[in-house]
Amino acid sequence: MFDWRWEFVWQITPRLVEATGRTILAALLGYGIAMVLGLFFALAQRTRFKLVNKPIREFVEFIRSTPLILQIFFVFYVGPQFGVMLSPWPAGMIAIGLHYASYLSEVYRGGIDSVPKGQWEAATSLSLSPTRTYYRVIIPQAIPPAFAGMGNYLVGIFKDTPMLSVIGVAELMHTANSIGSEHYRFLEPYTMVGVIFLLISLPTAAVLRKAEVKIRRKMGLR
Amino acid sequence: MKPTVFHYPAKLEGEDIPLVRFHEVTKRYGDLVVLDSLDLDVAEGEMVAIIGPSGSGKTTVLRMLMALEKINDGIIYVDGEPLTHMSRNGGLVWADEKHLRRQRLNIGMCFQHFNLFPHMTALENCIEAPVQVLGMSKADAIKRAEELLDMVGMLEKAHEHPSRLSGGQQQRVAIARSLAMRPKVMLFDEVTSALDPEVIGEVTTVIRKLVHKHNLTMLMVTHQMGFAKEISDRVCFFYDGKIEEQGPPDQIFGNPKSERTQQFLSAVLEAN
């Protein structure tokens, strides 16, 4: 009943390794988009202009309350109706980037809120402009408390990349599916996908924990 | 909507204009009146100590002058120029953020909890604003910061982060940081209140130096009556958002006229 074939494992390893590279690329690209966009969302929600902060807040809330897979389908299949024709990769990156930007914006917000009021007042009393205050004083102090949350979402986005397979992004899951249907064997490819995710997620989480301690120390924070 | 136009003088002129003038300044938080039509002049080179019970509005005076919060009524002048207002179409309107930022350059403030930037060293704290705001070259800013850190006795610790400094040391760095902007007025907001008793002296020594050697104009909110008596030219006793009594320290501490001043001082003396 338990029929594990090693020679099949060796046969499909090169394809899966190649797909792993694409999965990592997708996760990093998506995360890069999410980091930048998330910061924009977080700062936009803090402006005094209601015309900016209200819609952004609603948008973030909307994204966080609907499933990622729906958002992926929406960008890829509904986009063309509005004249936005995207191939799987850009569509996937936009969808997953937006999704995680919404989560990261909340992490940033928590980090920014954790900076004491006195820091804003000191910056004001030294006549630093709002931009300088954010860039030089507030954000550097907001990152260490936000770091743990940011790390969780990095692992999270990595684990969510298989959802991109539904629109044909040839990442790890998509490749495992193809192999399975070509050879009528699913045990080995799916097991290997699980092991690969584990082998990447666990060390990443450990490295992030170490990095957090290092960053705090380097910034002179305890 | 047209902005409200005020008809205060757009500039104070004359021989003996004060460096700081509060004219009928009122500050409210909702229904609570924190400053009640306050008039206060501070001359150049004067050291004014502000004392009074908590909630009397003494810290608010400094926060208004630093423009950390907006006033509800009246006007504040610094060096003859309106701080809280700016000229528009022949009158004065409430100042915008840009005007406030420019006017804040005249004023330096030290806080009860120091508020040093924890991710920067003592030296970096002192050069940040001179480089970013005044546009000084980094080399010039460092030279000046080192002189100031030396003056407050913190040059040895110039490359330490605040978390590795004691409260007294942090406060001395904070004083150097404010001075690096060459303010015309320095504000001290209970700068020794958060310190352990044994390190209060190192901060008061620095302030003493500023008074005797540098003749800086200062406003100091304090609970240290002995220090206020020793160092100030004038003491203002605040009560209920108003100056209840003011005068030379000998008069306020030796022979207070107001009953409230007497009560406050005897309560403070008893507690010590």
Side-chain angles (χ1 to χ4, degrees), chain A residues 91-119:
Chain A
M93 290 303 95
I94 287 173
I96 210 166
L98 270 178
H99 187 81
Y100 274 90
S102 302
Y103 282 99
L104 280 182
S105 77
E106 292 293 299
V107 173
Y108 290 142
R109 206 168 60 116
I112 291 170
D113 287 345
S114 75
V115 178
K117 208 173 126 226
Q119 292 291 310

Side-chain angles (χ1 to χ4, degrees), chain A residues 2-172:
Chain A
F2 188 74
D3 174 25
W4 176 270
R5 294 191 192 159
W6 283 105
E7 74 276 9
F8 184 53
V9 169
W10 306 134
Q11 185 196 331
I12 63 175
T13 298
R15 276 179 79 186
L16 287 177
V17 167
E18 211 194 321
T20 304
R22 284 194 294 272
T23 286
I24 292 173
L25 182 69
L28 291 180
L29 273 178
Y31 196 71
I33 295 172
M35 280 211 300
V36 176
L37 215 54
L39 186 61
F40 169 73
F41 286 169
L43 296 181
Q45 285 186 60
R46 292 184 71 94
T47 63
R48 284 169 296 147
F49 307 110
K50 282 214 170 68
L51 244 68
V52 177
N53 68 38
K54 266 266 168 104
I56 296 281
R57 188 162 306 171
E58 296 296 329
F59 181 73
V60 165
E61 212 39 58
F62 168 75
I63 297 267
R64 294 198 325 141
S65 317
T66 50
L68 171 59
I69 195 137
L70 175 70
Q71 292 156 16
I72 294 173
F73 276 142
F74 224 84
V75 173
F76 190 65
Y77 291 115
V78 182
Q81 287 205 10
F82 296 92
V84 187
M85 298 268 266
L86 294 169
S87 47
W89 268 88
M93 290 303 95
I94 287 173
I96 210 166
L98 270 178
H99 187 81
Y100 274 90
S102 302
Y103 282 99
L104 280 182
S105 77
E106 292 293 299
V107 173
Y108 290 142
R109 206 168 60 116
I112 291 170
D113 287 345
S114 75
V115 178
K117 208 173 126 226
Q119 292 291 310
W120 294 91
E121 293 185 345
T124 305
S125 76
L126 292 168
S127 300
L128 291 176
S129 70
T131 320
R132 290 276 172 211
T133 302
Y134 266 113
Y135 172 60
R136 300 283 300 178
V137 178
I138 303 302
I139 290 176
Q141 293 184 68
I143 287 173
F147 197 81
M150 289 172 71
N152 286 342
Y153 285 123
L154 176 60
V155 175
I157 201 167
F158 175 64
K159 288 193 300 177
D160 272 351
T161 49
M163 296 219 197
L164 298 173
S165 65
V166 296
I167 54 168
V169 173
E171 46 65 68
L172 199 47

Side-chain angles (χ1 to χ4, degrees), chain A residues 119 121 132 136 219-220 222, chain B residues 63 116 119 128 132 163:
Chain A
Q119 292 291 310
E121 293 185 345
R132 290 276 172 211
R136 300 283 300 178
M219 290 195 154
R222 269 186 287 203
Chain B
R63 294 177 62 82
L116 289 177
H119 55 299
E128 181 64 23
Q132 305 285 0
S163 60

